[in-house]
Amino acid sequence: VRCDEPRRVQPCVSQRQDAELSSVLHRACRIYSWSQMAAPCVTKVELTVSCDNLLDKDVGSKSDPLCVLLSNASDTQWFEVGRTERVNNCLHPKFAKKFDIDYYFEIVQKLKFAIYDIDNKTIDLSDDDFLGELECTLGQIVSCKKLTRPLVLKNKKPAGKGTITICAEEVKDNRVVNFEMEARKLDNKDFFGKSDPYLEFYKQTETGWQLAHRTEVIKNNLNPVWKPFKIPLQSLCNGDLEKPVKL
């Protein structure tokens, strides 16, 4: 019986090619691992602001408060993130304008909520009365979901009995609802002239009804037609179309 010498099978990939492939895969794995480590854990949150017992800086009427949100990323300088609308003649304002902020889980994000009494149409706040402020972190608000704290003045003394409440909700729905609304034959609540109607939409929450949107005021009109407007579903009903809203 003759036994032939076994033939050596040539590999499909040479040793050099195999080493190069291993090197490429190793680098790719390192890059992927680094990108996974470098990619921050982030989610978008919506902040709703309200105040109570604000200082009254106006003579003959009440303060017209507005909330300014500032952020501090460098520990040296604050920069403005946004502003709410102004609420006329009110010491207990519920601001309809929301603040949408990216929340980074592993980063301390310092925030400042400053309240001003706005009596003019200029953007500059230096000529407006200061009603108090709150400094905190976004993490504190998110962990509490509803944070209520006293307002303080620039010298850190209490701003009377003023308080601020900030509610945080994660934004999970980016859809919006378009509204075109009008009313007919409203009651006249004014002694001189006619009523000045506006609309407010409220979202149902675990702690009660929360203001979601406020339209413009239409002066002296019992048959108002409001400008078309949009409300994010997140702000109106947390994206749940079966959830009741209050108008």
Side-chain angles (χ1 to χ4, degrees), residues 20-77:
E20 291 177 350
L21 179 60
S22 298
S23 177
V24 169
L25 291 175
H26 181 68
R27 288 198 301 269
C29 289
R30 285 198 304 173
I31 292 173
Y32 176 78
S33 299
W34 179 84
S35 65
Q36 291 297 101
M37 293 175 60
C41 296
V42 61
T43 186
K44 189 173 290 294
V45 296
E46 179 185 82
L47 303 182
T48 303
V49 181
S50 62
C51 298
D52 283 301
N53 302 312
L54 293 178
L55 295 172
D56 191 356
K57 293 291 187 176
D58 289 352
V59 178
S61 64
K62 298 178 181 178
S63 296
D64 307 311
L66 171 148
C67 178
V68 181
L69 174 60
L70 303 105
S71 179
N72 186 339
S74 61
D75 292 328
T76 57
Q77 188 174 4

Side-chain angles (χ1 to χ4, degrees), residues 46 169 202-205 208-210 212 234-238:
E46 179 185 82
E169 289 185 322
Y202 286 85
K203 174 174 66 175
Q204 190 178 51
T205 68
W209 294 97
Q210 182 184 92
Q234 179 72 36
S235 301
L236 188 61
C237 58
N238 283 345

Side-chain angles (χ1 to χ4, degrees), residues 44-234:
K44 189 173 290 294
V45 296
E46 179 185 82
L47 303 182
T48 303
V49 181
S50 62
C51 298
D52 283 301
N53 302 312
L54 293 178
L55 295 172
D56 191 356
K57 293 291 187 176
D58 289 352
V59 178
S61 64
K62 298 178 181 178
S63 296
D64 307 311
L66 171 148
C67 178
V68 181
L69 174 60
L70 303 105
S71 179
N72 186 339
S74 61
D75 292 328
T76 57
Q77 188 174 4
W78 293 93
F79 66 91
E80 183 174 326
V81 176
R83 302 182 182 189
T84 67
E85 78 282 8
R86 179 182 68 177
V87 181
N88 293 329
N89 298 316
C90 185
L91 302 182
H92 308 275
K94 294 177 174 59
F95 299 105
K97 172 69 181 299
K98 316 290 183 180
F99 297 114
D100 288 339
I101 301 182
D102 289 332
Y103 172 48
Y104 296 88
F105 292 86
E106 298 179 356
I107 298 177
V108 177
Q109 296 170 260
K110 296 181 180 180
L111 300 179
K112 180 189 294 186
F113 298 84
I115 311 299
Y116 290 88
D117 175 22
I118 307 298
D119 291 319
N120 53 58
K121 295 182 179 180
T122 63
I123 298 178
D124 185 14
L125 297 171
S126 61
D127 55 352
D128 296 305
D129 291 323
F130 181 68
L131 302 179
E133 66 183 16
L134 169 69
E135 289 187 26
C136 62
T137 66
L138 183 55
Q140 289 175 308
I141 302 173
V142 171
S143 62
C144 294
K145 293 186 178 180
K146 183 177 182 180
L147 180 71
T148 299
R149 292 288 187 272
L151 291 168
V152 298
L153 300 174
K154 297 292 186 182
N155 57 10
K156 303 306 179 183
K157 292 183 178 181
K161 297 181 179 180
T163 61
I164 184 171
T165 298
I166 307 148
C167 298
E169 289 185 322
E170 183 181 1
V171 177
K172 299 179 180 179
D173 197 319
N174 293 321
R175 294 175 294 173
V176 298
V177 185
N178 297 300
F179 287 91
E180 294 183 10
M181 302 199 69
E182 59 184 56
R184 292 290 179 265
K185 299 180 180 180
L186 296 179
D187 286 341
N188 188 8
K189 299 298 184 180
D190 291 352
F191 291 106
F192 302 100
K194 300 177 181 179
S195 296
D196 308 313
Y198 61 93
L199 297 172
E200 288 186 341
F201 289 79
Y202 286 85
K203 174 174 66 175
Q204 190 178 51
T205 68
E206 296 177 354
T207 57
W209 294 97
Q210 182 184 92
L211 181 63
H213 184 82
R214 182 187 293 116
T215 68
E216 79 278 11
V217 177
I218 299 181
K219 295 287 187 179
N220 298 313
N221 197 327
L222 301 183
N223 300 286
V225 178
W226 288 277
K227 296 177 182 178
F229 57 93
K230 299 179 181 180
I231 306 178
L233 271 180
Q234 179 72 36

